[in-house]
Amino acid sequence: MTSTKIIVLLKPPPVMIHEPENFKEQFAQIMERLDDHSRILSVILRHTRTEEETVRENLKEMKFWNGERLFDNQDLCIMLQVSKRSLQRYRSLGLLPYLMLRQKTYYKESDVVQFLIGHLKDFKKEDIEVYKARLK
């Protein structure tokens, strides 16, 4: 998570004169300051997301099938640095098992690892993290 410095410059409080004829003007100044503070707080809150919230959001984006992570065509194209046509060829030849869910193609992580072990020289199961890193 990157840290962001936020510098907040606040206006000095207006001099409050308790005269009825200036009440509307004073009230408008107070409301303006409250609006400024509200905007500042919203900016600060936007930039102070916790790491846990970020992890939760990333997990929401990931698809799972029976507890196993699924990759879609786009994920695999980026991960393996191949075209969608190459993935189609691997599927057609029976080299890469896949699932069709709601007319979309998905690949189980274990099947992808097996495909890589079987078709890439010197591939180790631990190397999958290098491939996954390309998705970020």
Side-chain angles (χ1 to χ4, degrees), residues 59-117:
L59 282 175
K60 283 180 190 175
E61 292 174 8
M62 290 182 195
K63 304 269 191 274
F64 289 90
W65 177 262
N66 293 335
E68 186 171 5
R69 182 169 180 193
L70 295 177
F71 299 106
D72 63 13
N73 277 327
Q74 186 68 27
D75 291 336
L76 231 50
C77 286
I78 293 169
M79 226 167 93
L80 303 179
Q81 296 179 342
V82 297
S83 68
K84 289 184 181 184
R85 180 66 184 112
S86 293
L87 292 180
Q88 174 65 48
R89 189 177 316 110
Y90 300 151
R91 288 194 311 266
S92 298
L93 294 172
L95 300 174
L96 185 59
Y98 64 97
L99 300 166
M100 290 297 289
L101 302 173
R102 295 187 179 181
Q103 300 178 350
K104 189 168 179 182
T105 308
Y106 290 99
Y107 308 87
K108 292 192 293 186
E109 184 172 11
S110 60
D111 292 337
V112 172
V113 170
Q114 289 304 317
F115 173 78
L116 292 173
I117 289 170

Side-chain angles (χ1 to χ4, degrees), residues 3 29 90 101 104 118 127-128:
S3 62
Q29 288 176 345
Y90 300 151
L101 302 173
K104 189 168 179 182
D127 294 340
I128 191 68

Side-chain angles (χ1 to χ4, degrees), residues 11-78:
K11 294 187 253 179
V15 177
M16 299 303 282
I17 303 169
H18 299 288
E19 297 175 14
E21 60 272 357
N22 292 335
F23 178 75
K24 285 184 180 180
E25 183 182 319
Q26 292 171 359
F27 187 74
Q29 288 176 345
I30 290 170
M31 293 308 293
E32 184 181 323
R33 291 220 39 213
L34 286 175
D35 288 342
D36 289 345
H37 284 259
S38 176
R39 280 192 291 276
I40 291 167
L41 283 175
S42 67
V43 168
I44 290 170
L45 289 175
R46 250 185 273 134
H47 291 310
T48 56
R49 295 179 46 202
T50 64
E51 205 170 302
E52 185 178 311
E53 288 171 329
T54 305
V55 169
R56 272 194 210 134
E57 280 184 17
N58 289 340
L59 282 175
K60 283 180 190 175
E61 292 174 8
M62 290 182 195
K63 304 269 191 274
F64 289 90
W65 177 262
N66 293 335
E68 186 171 5
R69 182 169 180 193
L70 295 177
F71 299 106
D72 63 13
N73 277 327
Q74 186 68 27
D75 291 336
L76 231 50
C77 286
I78 293 169

